[in-house]
Amino acid sequence: MDTTLPQSFYDRPVLHVARDLLGRRLVRLLNGQRVSGRIVETEAYRGEEDLACHARAGRTPRTAIMYGAPGHAYVYFTYGMHWMLNCVTGPEGFPAAVLIRAIVPQEGLDVIAAHRAGRPRREWCNGPAKLCQALNIDGRLNGAALWNVGSEIWLEAGQPVTEEQVRCTPRIGIHNTPEPWRSIPWRFVVAEQLNLKEKQNESSG
DNA sequence: AGCACGATTAACT
DNA sequence: GTTAATCGTGCTC
Protein backbone atom coordinates (compact mmCIF):
# COMPACT_ATOMS: atom_id res chain seq x y z
CA MET A 1 0.00 0.00 0.00
CA ASP A 2 0.94 3.59 -0.50
CA THR A 3 0.16 6.73 1.49
CA THR A 4 -3.04 8.47 0.42
CA LEU A 5 -2.69 12.17 -0.41
CA PRO A 6 -4.61 14.06 2.32
CA GLN A 7 -7.11 16.78 1.59
CA SER A 8 -4.50 19.33 2.70
CA PHE A 9 -2.37 18.32 -0.31
CA TYR A 10 -4.88 20.08 -2.54
CA ASP A 11 -5.31 23.12 -0.27
CA ARG A 12 -2.48 25.03 -1.96
CA PRO A 13 -2.21 27.31 -5.03
CA VAL A 14 -3.18 25.43 -8.17
CA LEU A 15 0.23 25.82 -9.86
CA HIS A 16 1.92 24.14 -6.89
CA VAL A 17 -0.56 21.29 -6.88
CA ALA A 18 -0.34 20.78 -10.65
CA ARG A 19 3.43 20.45 -10.49
CA ASP A 20 3.34 18.29 -7.34
CA LEU A 21 0.85 15.86 -8.88
CA LEU A 22 3.52 14.63 -11.30
CA GLY A 23 4.66 11.15 -10.28
CA ARG A 24 1.67 10.58 -8.00
CA ARG A 25 -0.63 7.57 -8.36
CA LEU A 26 -4.24 7.83 -9.49
CA VAL A 27 -6.19 4.83 -8.17
CA ARG A 28 -9.61 3.63 -9.31
CA LEU A 29 -11.45 0.76 -7.63
CA LEU A 30 -13.42 -1.31 -10.14
CA ASN A 31 -15.20 -4.45 -8.95
CA GLY A 32 -12.91 -4.52 -5.93
CA GLN A 33 -9.81 -4.36 -8.12
CA ARG A 34 -7.19 -1.62 -8.10
CA VAL A 35 -6.72 0.05 -11.46
CA SER A 36 -4.05 2.73 -11.32
CA GLY A 37 -1.45 4.79 -13.11
CA ARG A 38 1.36 7.27 -12.52
CA ILE A 39 0.46 10.87 -13.34
CA VAL A 40 2.87 12.26 -15.94
CA GLU A 41 1.03 15.27 -17.39
CA THR A 42 -1.17 17.97 -15.79
CA GLU A 43 -2.52 21.43 -16.51
CA ALA A 44 -3.54 24.25 -14.14
CA TYR A 45 -6.72 26.31 -14.61
CA ARG A 46 -6.88 29.29 -12.30
CA GLY A 47 -9.65 31.77 -11.53
CA GLU A 48 -12.29 33.74 -13.39
CA GLU A 49 -9.66 35.90 -15.09
CA ASP A 50 -8.07 32.83 -16.75
CA LEU A 51 -10.01 32.83 -20.03
CA ALA A 52 -9.17 29.17 -20.62
CA CYS A 53 -10.73 28.15 -17.30
CA HIS A 54 -14.38 27.15 -17.19
CA ALA A 55 -14.76 29.53 -14.24
CA ARG A 56 -14.38 32.43 -16.71
CA ALA A 57 -18.21 32.24 -16.85
CA GLY A 58 -18.38 32.71 -13.10
CA ARG A 59 -20.20 30.43 -10.71
CA THR A 60 -22.66 28.25 -12.65
CA PRO A 61 -24.12 24.82 -11.93
CA ARG A 62 -21.19 23.25 -13.77
CA THR A 63 -18.40 25.32 -12.23
CA ALA A 64 -19.74 25.46 -8.66
CA ILE A 65 -17.56 22.50 -7.68
CA MET A 66 -14.42 24.51 -8.48
CA TYR A 67 -15.46 27.14 -5.93
CA GLY A 68 -15.85 24.54 -3.21
CA ALA A 69 -13.45 22.78 -0.89
CA PRO A 70 -10.15 21.51 -2.37
CA GLY A 71 -9.55 17.81 -2.99
CA HIS A 72 -12.79 17.05 -4.79
CA ALA A 73 -13.03 15.72 -8.34
CA TYR A 74 -14.34 18.02 -11.07
CA VAL A 75 -15.45 15.71 -13.89
CA TYR A 76 -16.96 17.34 -16.96
CA PHE A 77 -18.25 16.29 -20.36
CA THR A 78 -17.10 17.84 -23.63
CA TYR A 79 -17.20 17.43 -27.41
CA GLY A 80 -20.39 15.44 -26.99
CA MET A 81 -18.52 12.28 -25.99
CA HIS A 82 -15.51 12.81 -23.73
CA TRP A 83 -15.07 13.01 -19.94
CA MET A 84 -12.23 14.90 -18.24
CA LEU A 85 -10.90 14.51 -14.70
CA ASN A 86 -9.75 17.47 -12.59
CA CYS A 87 -8.66 17.97 -8.98
CA VAL A 88 -10.13 21.05 -7.27
CA THR A 89 -7.46 23.10 -5.45
CA GLY A 90 -7.40 25.78 -2.78
CA PRO A 91 -8.25 28.11 -1.35
CA GLU A 92 -11.92 27.38 -0.84
CA GLY A 93 -14.03 30.01 -2.55
CA PHE A 94 -11.45 30.56 -5.34
CA PRO A 95 -12.19 28.58 -8.53
CA ALA A 96 -9.19 26.53 -9.66
CA ALA A 97 -8.48 22.94 -10.70
CA VAL A 98 -5.81 20.68 -12.17
CA LEU A 99 -6.62 18.69 -15.32
CA ILE A 100 -5.06 15.20 -15.32
CA ARG A 101 -3.87 14.82 -18.93
CA ALA A 102 -1.92 11.56 -18.91
CA ILE A 103 -0.97 8.61 -16.70
CA VAL A 104 1.28 5.59 -17.19
CA PRO A 105 -0.72 2.42 -16.37
CA GLN A 106 0.54 0.54 -13.30
CA GLU A 107 -2.13 -1.76 -11.90
CA GLY A 108 -5.14 -3.45 -13.49
CA LEU A 109 -3.63 -3.55 -16.96
CA ASP A 110 -6.17 -6.13 -18.08
CA VAL A 111 -9.04 -3.84 -17.10
CA ILE A 112 -7.45 -0.88 -18.86
CA ALA A 113 -6.81 -2.92 -21.98
CA ALA A 114 -10.45 -4.01 -22.04
CA HIS A 115 -11.67 -0.41 -21.79
CA ARG A 116 -9.22 0.66 -24.52
CA ALA A 117 -9.81 -2.37 -26.72
CA GLY A 118 -7.70 -2.66 -29.83
CA ARG A 119 -5.41 0.28 -29.09
CA PRO A 120 -1.65 -0.06 -28.63
CA ARG A 121 -0.47 0.16 -25.04
CA ARG A 122 1.11 3.58 -25.39
CA GLU A 123 -2.29 5.00 -26.36
CA TRP A 124 -4.17 3.57 -23.40
CA CYS A 125 -3.88 6.61 -21.11
CA ASN A 126 -1.88 9.30 -22.94
CA GLY A 127 -4.73 11.81 -23.14
CA PRO A 128 -7.26 13.31 -20.70
CA ALA A 129 -10.27 11.59 -22.27
CA LYS A 130 -8.35 8.37 -22.89
CA LEU A 131 -7.46 7.88 -19.22
CA CYS A 132 -11.07 8.54 -18.21
CA GLN A 133 -12.21 5.86 -20.64
CA ALA A 134 -9.49 3.50 -19.41
CA LEU A 135 -10.44 3.97 -15.73
CA ASN A 136 -14.20 4.17 -16.37
CA ILE A 137 -14.41 7.74 -15.05
CA ASP A 138 -17.57 9.71 -15.87
CA GLY A 139 -19.92 12.30 -14.40
CA ARG A 140 -20.95 10.02 -11.58
CA LEU A 141 -17.58 10.77 -9.98
CA ASN A 142 -18.07 14.53 -10.11
CA GLY A 143 -17.58 15.85 -6.58
CA ALA A 144 -15.88 12.68 -5.28
CA ALA A 145 -13.50 13.19 -2.34
CA LEU A 146 -10.08 12.32 -3.76
CA TRP A 147 -8.51 11.71 -0.32
CA ASN A 148 -11.09 9.03 0.49
CA VAL A 149 -9.05 5.83 0.22
CA GLY A 150 -10.99 2.69 -0.59
CA SER A 151 -13.87 4.57 -2.20
CA GLU A 152 -14.29 4.74 -5.96
CA ILE A 153 -11.28 6.92 -6.70
CA TRP A 154 -8.35 8.45 -4.79
CA LEU A 155 -4.73 9.53 -5.13
CA GLU A 156 -1.62 8.11 -3.46
CA ALA A 157 1.81 9.61 -2.83
CA GLY A 158 3.57 7.50 -5.46
CA GLN A 159 7.04 8.71 -6.43
CA PRO A 160 7.32 12.50 -6.73
CA VAL A 161 9.58 13.76 -9.51
CA THR A 162 12.59 16.07 -9.14
CA GLU A 163 12.73 19.59 -10.58
CA GLU A 164 15.08 18.35 -13.31
CA GLN A 165 12.33 16.04 -14.58
CA VAL A 166 9.66 18.74 -14.90
CA ARG A 167 8.91 20.46 -18.21
CA CYS A 168 6.50 23.40 -18.55
CA THR A 169 4.68 24.31 -21.77
CA PRO A 170 1.54 26.19 -22.81
CA ARG A 171 -1.72 24.36 -22.27
CA ILE A 172 -3.16 22.13 -25.00
CA GLY A 173 -6.38 22.56 -26.97
CA ILE A 174 -7.17 26.19 -26.11
CA HIS A 175 -6.27 27.74 -29.47
CA ASN A 176 -9.30 30.07 -29.39
CA THR A 177 -8.33 31.49 -26.00
CA PRO A 178 -6.87 35.03 -26.07
CA GLU A 179 -3.37 35.84 -24.89
CA PRO A 180 -1.74 35.76 -22.49
CA TRP A 181 -3.73 32.73 -21.38
CA ARG A 182 -3.17 30.75 -24.57
CA SER A 183 0.59 30.77 -24.14
CA ILE A 184 1.10 30.88 -20.41
CA PRO A 185 3.14 27.76 -19.44
CA TRP A 186 0.73 26.08 -17.09
CA ARG A 187 1.13 22.56 -18.49
CA PHE A 188 3.45 20.27 -16.52
CA VAL A 189 4.98 17.14 -18.05
CA VAL A 190 7.50 14.56 -16.87
CA ALA A 191 10.49 15.09 -19.17
CA GLU A 192 10.76 11.45 -20.23
CA GLN A 193 7.13 11.43 -21.35
CA LEU A 194 7.52 14.73 -23.20
CA ASN A 195 10.47 13.24 -25.08
CA LEU A 196 8.34 10.26 -26.06
CA LYS A 197 5.65 12.54 -27.45
CA GLU A 198 8.19 14.51 -29.46
CA LYS A 199 9.51 11.28 -30.97
CA GLN A 200 5.97 10.27 -31.89
CA ASN A 201 5.46 13.62 -33.60
CA GLU A 202 8.73 13.27 -35.50
CA SER A 203 7.89 9.79 -36.76
CA SER A 204 4.35 10.78 -37.80
CA GLY A 205 5.33 14.08 -39.39
C1' DA B 1 -36.09 28.22 -28.20
C1' DG B 2 -32.05 28.51 -30.81
C1' DC B 3 -27.17 28.97 -31.41
C1' DA B 4 -22.05 28.35 -31.36
C1' DC B 5 -18.55 26.05 -29.34
C1' DG B 6 -15.76 23.02 -26.66
C1' DA B 7 -9.31 21.76 -21.45
C1' DT B 8 -10.62 15.53 -27.58
C1' DT B 9 -10.06 11.55 -30.24
C1' DA B 10 -9.74 8.68 -34.23
C1' DA B 11 -9.80 8.16 -38.95
C1' DC B 12 -8.78 9.93 -43.26
C1' DT B 13 -6.25 12.65 -47.28
C1' DG C 1 -3.00 18.60 -42.01
C1' DT C 2 -8.08 18.04 -41.94
C1' DT C 3 -12.45 16.70 -40.26
C1' DA C 4 -16.54 14.10 -38.31
C1' DA C 5 -18.56 12.52 -34.15
C1' DT C 6 -22.04 14.31 -30.67
C1' DC C 7 -24.35 16.91 -26.70
C1' DG C 8 -24.00 19.83 -22.35
C1' DT C 9 -23.30 24.48 -21.31
C1' DG C 10 -23.75 29.30 -21.42
C1' DC C 11 -25.24 33.16 -24.13
C1' DT C 12 -28.60 35.73 -27.01
C1' DC C 13 -33.19 36.63 -28.64
Short mmCIF file of all heavy atoms in Angstrom, two decimals, chain A residues 44-46 48-53 169-172 174-187:
data_model
loop_
_atom_site.label_atom_id
_atom_site.label_comp_id
_atom_site.label_asym_id
_atom_site.label_seq_id
_atom_site.Cartn_x
_atom_site.Cartn_y
_atom_site.Cartn_z
N ALA A 44 -2.89 23.42 -15.15
CA ALA A 44 -3.54 24.25 -14.14
C ALA A 44 -4.53 25.21 -14.80
O ALA A 44 -4.24 25.80 -15.84
CB ALA A 44 -2.50 25.04 -13.35
N TYR A 45 -5.71 25.33 -14.18
CA TYR A 45 -6.72 26.31 -14.61
C TYR A 45 -7.09 27.13 -13.39
O TYR A 45 -7.52 26.57 -12.38
CB TYR A 45 -7.93 25.60 -15.23
CG TYR A 45 -7.56 24.99 -16.57
CD1 TYR A 45 -6.97 23.73 -16.63
CD2 TYR A 45 -7.73 25.71 -17.74
CE1 TYR A 45 -6.58 23.19 -17.84
CE2 TYR A 45 -7.35 25.18 -18.95
CZ TYR A 45 -6.77 23.92 -19.00
OH TYR A 45 -6.37 23.39 -20.20
N ARG A 46 -6.91 28.47 -13.50
CA ARG A 46 -6.88 29.29 -12.30
C ARG A 46 -7.74 30.55 -12.40
O ARG A 46 -7.37 31.51 -13.08
CB ARG A 46 -5.44 29.70 -12.00
CG ARG A 46 -5.26 30.34 -10.65
CD ARG A 46 -3.82 30.71 -10.36
NE ARG A 46 -3.40 31.93 -11.05
CZ ARG A 46 -2.20 32.50 -10.92
NH1 ARG A 46 -1.28 31.93 -10.15
NH2 ARG A 46 -1.89 33.60 -11.55
N GLU A 48 -11.36 33.21 -12.39
CA GLU A 48 -12.29 33.74 -13.39
C GLU A 48 -11.57 34.55 -14.45
O GLU A 48 -12.07 34.70 -15.57
CB GLU A 48 -13.37 34.58 -12.69
CG GLU A 48 -14.24 33.76 -11.75
CD GLU A 48 -15.26 34.62 -11.01
OE1 GLU A 48 -15.21 35.85 -11.10
OE2 GLU A 48 -16.12 34.02 -10.31
N GLU A 49 -10.39 35.09 -14.11
CA GLU A 49 -9.66 35.90 -15.09
C GLU A 49 -8.90 35.05 -16.11
O GLU A 49 -8.50 35.55 -17.15
CB GLU A 49 -8.70 36.85 -14.37
CG GLU A 49 -7.48 36.16 -13.75
CD GLU A 49 -7.78 35.60 -12.38
OE1 GLU A 49 -8.97 35.55 -12.00
OE2 GLU A 49 -6.84 35.19 -11.69
N ASP A 50 -8.71 33.76 -15.81
CA ASP A 50 -8.07 32.83 -16.75
C ASP A 50 -9.11 32.45 -17.81
O ASP A 50 -10.02 31.67 -17.55
CB ASP A 50 -7.57 31.60 -15.99
CG ASP A 50 -7.01 30.53 -16.91
OD1 ASP A 50 -6.92 30.76 -18.13
OD2 ASP A 50 -6.66 29.45 -16.40
N LEU A 51 -8.97 33.00 -19.01
CA LEU A 51 -10.01 32.83 -20.03
C LEU A 51 -10.02 31.44 -20.64
O LEU A 51 -10.88 31.13 -21.47
CB LEU A 51 -9.85 33.89 -21.12
CG LEU A 51 -10.06 35.33 -20.61
CD1 LEU A 51 -9.93 36.34 -21.76
CD2 LEU A 51 -11.42 35.47 -19.92
N ALA A 52 -9.10 30.57 -20.21
CA ALA A 52 -9.17 29.17 -20.62
C ALA A 52 -9.90 28.32 -19.59
O ALA A 52 -10.26 27.18 -19.87
CB ALA A 52 -7.77 28.62 -20.86
N CYS A 53 -10.10 28.88 -18.41
CA CYS A 53 -10.73 28.15 -17.30
C CYS A 53 -12.25 28.22 -17.43
O CYS A 53 -12.81 29.25 -17.81
CB CYS A 53 -10.27 28.74 -15.98
SG CYS A 53 -10.95 27.95 -14.50
N THR A 169 5.03 23.84 -20.43
CA THR A 169 4.68 24.31 -21.77
C THR A 169 3.32 25.00 -21.69
O THR A 169 2.62 24.90 -20.68
CB THR A 169 4.58 23.15 -22.78
OG1 THR A 169 3.29 22.52 -22.65
CG2 THR A 169 5.67 22.11 -22.56
N PRO A 170 2.92 25.69 -22.76
CA PRO A 170 1.54 26.19 -22.81
C PRO A 170 0.55 25.03 -22.77
O PRO A 170 0.87 23.90 -23.12
CB PRO A 170 1.48 26.92 -24.16
CG PRO A 170 2.90 27.28 -24.46
CD PRO A 170 3.72 26.15 -23.91
N ARG A 171 -0.68 25.37 -22.36
CA ARG A 171 -1.72 24.36 -22.27
C ARG A 171 -2.23 23.95 -23.65
O ARG A 171 -2.12 24.71 -24.61
CB ARG A 171 -2.87 24.88 -21.39
CG ARG A 171 -2.45 25.09 -19.95
CD ARG A 171 -3.47 25.82 -19.13
NE ARG A 171 -3.60 27.22 -19.55
CZ ARG A 171 -4.42 28.10 -18.96
NH1 ARG A 171 -5.19 27.71 -17.94
NH2 ARG A 171 -4.48 29.34 -19.37
N ILE A 172 -2.77 22.74 -23.72
CA ILE A 172 -3.16 22.13 -25.00
C ILE A 172 -4.65 22.38 -25.27
O ILE A 172 -5.47 22.39 -24.35
CB ILE A 172 -2.89 20.61 -24.96
CG1 ILE A 172 -1.43 20.32 -24.64
CG2 ILE A 172 -3.29 19.95 -26.28
CD1 ILE A 172 -0.46 20.83 -25.67
N ILE A 174 -6.48 24.94 -26.44
CA ILE A 174 -7.17 26.19 -26.11
C ILE A 174 -6.84 27.26 -27.15
O ILE A 174 -6.67 28.43 -26.82
CB ILE A 174 -6.79 26.68 -24.70
CG1 ILE A 174 -5.27 26.84 -24.56
CG2 ILE A 174 -7.32 25.71 -23.65
CD1 ILE A 174 -4.87 27.56 -23.27
N HIS A 175 -6.76 26.85 -28.41
CA HIS A 175 -6.27 27.74 -29.47
C HIS A 175 -7.17 28.95 -29.71
O HIS A 175 -6.74 29.93 -30.31
CB HIS A 175 -6.10 26.96 -30.77
CG HIS A 175 -7.18 25.98 -31.02
ND1 HIS A 175 -8.42 26.33 -31.47
CD2 HIS A 175 -7.22 24.63 -30.83
CE1 HIS A 175 -9.17 25.26 -31.57
NE2 HIS A 175 -8.47 24.20 -31.18
N ASN A 176 -8.42 28.91 -29.24
CA ASN A 176 -9.30 30.07 -29.39
C ASN A 176 -9.26 30.99 -28.18
O ASN A 176 -9.98 31.99 -28.15
CB ASN A 176 -10.75 29.62 -29.65
CG ASN A 176 -10.94 29.14 -31.08
OD1 ASN A 176 -10.15 29.46 -31.96
ND2 ASN A 176 -11.98 28.35 -31.29
N THR A 177 -8.46 30.66 -27.20
CA THR A 177 -8.33 31.49 -26.00
C THR A 177 -7.37 32.65 -26.26
O THR A 177 -6.30 32.45 -26.84
CB THR A 177 -7.81 30.62 -24.83
OG1 THR A 177 -8.72 29.57 -24.58
CG2 THR A 177 -7.63 31.46 -23.58
N PRO A 178 -7.74 33.86 -25.86
CA PRO A 178 -6.87 35.03 -26.07
C PRO A 178 -5.58 34.94 -25.26
O PRO A 178 -5.53 34.24 -24.24
CB PRO A 178 -7.73 36.21 -25.59
CG PRO A 178 -9.12 35.68 -25.44
CD PRO A 178 -9.02 34.22 -25.22
N GLU A 179 -4.58 35.68 -25.69
CA GLU A 179 -3.37 35.84 -24.89
C GLU A 179 -3.68 36.75 -23.71
O GLU A 179 -4.62 37.55 -23.79
CB GLU A 179 -2.27 36.46 -25.77
CG GLU A 179 -1.86 35.61 -26.96
CD GLU A 179 -1.09 34.35 -26.56
OE1 GLU A 179 -0.92 34.12 -25.33
OE2 GLU A 179 -0.71 33.61 -27.44
N PRO A 180 -2.92 36.62 -22.62
CA PRO A 180 -1.74 35.76 -22.49
C PRO A 180 -2.07 34.33 -22.10
O PRO A 180 -1.17 33.50 -22.02
CB PRO A 180 -0.97 36.43 -21.34
CG PRO A 180 -2.05 36.97 -20.45
CD PRO A 180 -3.14 37.43 -21.39
N TRP A 181 -3.35 34.03 -21.94
CA TRP A 181 -3.73 32.73 -21.38
C TRP A 181 -3.39 31.58 -22.31
O TRP A 181 -3.05 30.49 -21.86
CB TRP A 181 -5.23 32.72 -21.06
CG TRP A 181 -5.61 33.93 -20.27
CD1 TRP A 181 -6.35 34.99 -20.70
CD2 TRP A 181 -5.21 34.24 -18.93
NE1 TRP A 181 -6.44 35.95 -19.71
CE2 TRP A 181 -5.75 35.50 -18.61
CE3 TRP A 181 -4.44 33.58 -17.98
CZ2 TRP A 181 -5.55 36.11 -17.38
CZ3 TRP A 181 -4.25 34.18 -16.76
CH2 TRP A 181 -4.80 35.44 -16.46
N ARG A 182 -3.44 31.84 -23.62
CA ARG A 182 -3.17 30.75 -24.57
C ARG A 182 -1.73 30.26 -24.46
O ARG A 182 -1.46 29.09 -24.68
CB ARG A 182 -3.47 31.23 -26.00
CG ARG A 182 -3.30 30.15 -27.05
CD ARG A 182 -3.76 30.64 -28.42
NE ARG A 182 -3.10 31.88 -28.82
CZ ARG A 182 -3.54 32.69 -29.76
NH1 ARG A 182 -4.65 32.40 -30.41
NH2 ARG A 182 -2.91 33.79 -30.07
N SER A 183 -0.83 31.14 -24.12
CA SER A 183 0.59 30.77 -24.14
C SER A 183 1.23 30.61 -22.77
O SER A 183 2.38 30.21 -22.66
CB SER A 183 1.39 31.83 -24.92
OG SER A 183 0.94 31.91 -26.26
N ILE A 184 0.50 30.95 -21.75
CA ILE A 184 1.10 30.88 -20.41
C ILE A 184 1.44 29.42 -20.08
O ILE A 184 0.64 28.52 -20.33
CB ILE A 184 0.14 31.51 -19.38
CG1 ILE A 184 0.90 31.87 -18.11
CG2 ILE A 184 -1.05 30.61 -19.08
CD1 ILE A 184 0.11 32.82 -17.21
N PRO A 185 2.65 29.15 -19.57
CA PRO A 185 3.14 27.76 -19.44
C PRO A 185 2.60 27.06 -18.19
O PRO A 185 3.35 26.79 -17.25
CB PRO A 185 4.66 27.92 -19.38
CG PRO A 185 4.85 29.26 -18.75
CD PRO A 185 3.71 30.13 -19.23
N TRP A 186 1.37 26.73 -18.23
CA TRP A 186 0.73 26.08 -17.09
C TRP A 186 0.46 24.60 -17.33
O TRP A 186 -0.36 23.98 -16.67
CB TRP A 186 -0.57 26.82 -16.72
CG TRP A 186 -0.30 28.13 -16.02
CD1 TRP A 186 0.93 28.64 -15.65
CD2 TRP A 186 -1.27 29.09 -15.59
NE1 TRP A 186 0.77 29.86 -15.03
CE2 TRP A 186 -0.57 30.16 -14.97
CE3 TRP A 186 -2.67 29.15 -15.68
CZ2 TRP A 186 -1.22 31.27 -14.45
CZ3 TRP A 186 -3.32 30.26 -15.15
CH2 TRP A 186 -2.59 31.30 -14.54
N ARG A 187 1.16 24.01 -18.28
CA ARG A 187 1.13 22.56 -18.49
C ARG A 187 2.41 21.98 -17.93
O ARG A 187 3.50 22.52 -18.18
CB ARG A 187 1.00 22.22 -19.98
CG ARG A 187 1.16 20.75 -20.34
CD ARG A 187 0.89 20.56 -21.83
NE ARG A 187 1.09 19.20 -22.32
CZ ARG A 187 2.05 18.85 -23.18
NH1 ARG A 187 2.92 19.76 -23.63
NH2 ARG A 187 2.16 17.62 -23.60
#
